Amino acid sequence: MSSGRAPRRRSTLLAATAVAGALTLSACSGDGNRAGGGGNTNFVTGSGGISTVAKGERTDAPKLAGATLDGADLDIADYKGKVVVLNFWGSWCGPCRAEAKHFVKVSEEMKDQGVQFVGVNTRDPQKSLAVSFEEDFGVTYPSLYDPTGKQLLRFPKGTLNPKAIPSTVVVDREGKLAARSLAALDATKLREMIDPLVAEK
């Protein structure tokens, strides 16, 4: 009887693995075409896939707080007065690896201009994998550790919410959601999101 169960167990395991693989690929697609937000949104998506909201129409960023990968406490509200760049990433995500060097470069270039980068590491069940990712790419800014994805769920629907991994959301100096990309970014695209907010009076 045990030999009859083994093939069924193997086929069930293979099916589960296939489903998990498909979910990972879809989650990491970074589909910039999903940037439209329906009838009640107040943001505009440009040809480069970057969505922006005019200064007077922005909504408050949700409360994002918790432990970082190195065990410190972090609350993005403490950075009010700075432009905050939130990058949602996972060590398992190929596009995240492709964009990491660009985020490191721009974060170093802009740290003296009132710009604070914060990563949100999501869906990494082993913190060690995320820590290794940051070591590999020389990431020096902090990352919240969010293995269950609860930080992503704090963004209300119809706002500039991170719908894919990677996603990047930029918060203005007043703590309001100002820009978003649902795709991997290079340094040029990243600066296109940040520079106008740095220039705001």
Side-chain angles (χ1 to χ4, degrees), residues 134-154:
E134 291 202 327
E135 290 173 351
D136 289 346
F137 290 100
V139 177
T140 56
Y141 52 83
S143 282
L144 288 167
Y145 182 50
D146 184 32
T148 61
K150 66 181 181 181
Q151 302 281 1
L152 283 77
L153 299 177
R154 293 178 176 174

Side-chain angles (χ1 to χ4, degrees), residues 11-97:
S11 62
T12 302
L13 180 62
L14 288 171
T17 302
V19 169
L23 286 172
T24 299
L25 287 172
S26 64
C28 198
S29 64
D31 184 359
N33 293 326
R34 295 183 296 170
N40 297 323
T41 59
N42 56 357
F43 55 86
V44 176
T45 305
S47 58
I50 295 172
S51 302
T52 57
V53 180
K55 187 173 183 181
E57 300 177 0
R58 296 170 188 163
T59 58
D60 290 335
K63 180 174 179 59
L64 298 177
T68 63
L69 286 172
D70 61 6
D73 290 328
L74 184 148
D75 186 337
I76 68 160
D78 292 340
Y79 296 124
K80 195 167 183 179
K82 293 187 174 186
V83 174
V84 180
V85 181
L86 299 169
N87 179 238
F88 296 82
W89 63 277
S91 68
W92 43 267
C93 168
C96 300
R97 302 186 76 82

